[in-house]
Amino acid sequence: DTAVSQTPKYLVTQMGNDKSIKCEQNLGHDTMYWYKQDSKKFLKIMFSYNNKELIINETVPNRFSPKSPDKAHLNLHINSLELGDSAVYFCASSQEVPGEYTDTQYFGPGTRLTVL
Amino acid sequence: RKEVEQDPGPFNVPEGATVAFNCTYSNSASQSFFWYRQDCRKEPKLLMSVYSSGNEDGRFTAQLNRASQYISLLIRDSKLSDSATYLCVVNTNAGKSTFGDGTTLTVKP
């Protein structure tokens, strides 16, 4: 029973290609996220969706476009891939508790993207 | 200045040692605080939330000092299995978490 799943786990592609990463959570959470972890292991938030609406859009190139068909899914589409896009991309989800600020995040296993 | 700063380490300690990590944050309006653990080539996982009164979970103790804007994690009686990267996380607004760059711990026999 995987709580947050991502596909594919590994993605190797050429510069200039367009690729998508899919994420699904079965926790019933309202909020989903995409993070990028680069070669230096720094974890940076890219996007956050709450009930299918974009609520956080950090400074990322507009080649990156998230899409949330429903609150259990948040996909990431990347156009015109560049060498610098090589990283591990993590999806996560959380559930805000009214009156509290607990919102623990549950992460997917990551997608290791390599752009050649 | 980064929103969340951690000493990157690495911390190399023998089994049984006590080790402490600190993390400072810049936004005084931050609401919630966490420590996550990330093993090599794995996803981050929640280790513990950090409450104003401080909290303990077995060998792990977390403290929050709002006045000085830092949180800490103390690990007692270190085990080999504690070797990992420890990430400090601060929620500054609903829906946004800022991760520190992590502190690497290696526990040696």
Side-chain angles (χ1 to χ4, degrees):
Chain A
D1 285 347
T2 305
V4 183
S5 59
Q6 294 179 228
T7 54
K9 190 169 182 180
Y10 298 96
L11 183 54
V12 181
T13 188
Q14 300 285 337
M15 279 177 58
N17 284 349
D18 302 338
K19 292 293 178 185
S20 291
I21 307 171
K22 296 186 176 182
C23 177
E24 176 180 2
Q25 54 96 3
N26 62 9
L27 297 167
H29 289 168
D30 290 332
T31 306
M32 296 184 72
Y33 313 79
W34 276 110
Y35 287 87
K36 177 180 179 181
Q37 189 167 43
D38 60 24
S39 57
K40 294 183 179 178
K41 311 298 183 190
F42 301 148
L43 194 66
K44 303 296 180 195
I45 191 167
M46 301 173 70
F47 302 102
S48 171
Y49 268 72
N50 182 272
N51 279 317
K52 303 195 306 176
E53 288 189 23
L54 180 66
I55 56 172
I56 290 174
N57 183 354
E58 293 296 299
T59 306
V60 298
N62 58 15
R63 299 181 294 103
F64 290 79
S65 53
K67 291 217 170 24
S68 182
D70 55 63
K71 74 173 196 177
H73 296 84
L74 181 62
N75 303 324
L76 183 65
H77 188 75
I78 315 170
N79 288 328
S80 304
L81 278 155
E82 299 178 357
L83 293 176
D85 297 333
S86 295
V88 180
Y89 291 84
F90 287 104
C91 176
S93 73
S94 69
Q95 180 65 38
E96 191 173 338
V97 178
E100 297 180 15
Y101 295 93
T102 53
D103 44 339
T104 301
Q105 294 186 44
Y106 295 83
F107 283 79
T111 295
R112 188 171 296 274
L113 171 65
T114 302
V115 182
L116 303 175
Chain B
R1 183 186 171 188
K2 290 184 178 180
E3 287 186 57
V4 178
E5 294 204 62
Q6 292 183 247
D7 181 346
F11 285 66
N12 296 310
V13 303
E15 271 187 292
T18 296
V19 62
F21 307 136
N22 287 327
C23 167
T24 58
Y25 59 95
S26 60
N27 189 334
S28 60
S30 299
Q31 297 289 349
S32 53
F33 310 88
F34 308 87
W35 283 102
Y36 279 70
R37 169 192 171 132
Q38 186 173 24
D39 292 294
C40 187
R41 303 179 77 87
K42 297 285 188 182
E43 71 273 22
K45 291 184 178 177
L46 178 70
L47 178 65
M48 57 197 306
S49 302
V50 187
Y51 303 119
S52 297
S53 54
N55 47 301
E56 187 174 311
D57 182 4
R59 299 181 293 108
F60 299 84
T61 301
Q63 298 275 358
L64 166 63
N65 185 320
R66 285 190 185 269
S68 301
Q69 294 182 203
Y70 79 82
I71 67 173
S72 64
L73 177 68
L74 182 76
I75 306 176
R76 291 181 299 278
D77 189 23
S78 300
K79 310 290 185 193
L80 296 177
S81 57
D82 293 335
S83 298
T85 296
Y86 291 83
L87 301 163
C88 167
V89 183
V90 176
N91 285 10
T92 51
N93 294 297
K96 179 178 176 181
S97 298
T98 302
F99 281 70
D101 291 338
T103 298
T104 300
L105 171 66
T106 301
V107 181
K108 299 186 175 180

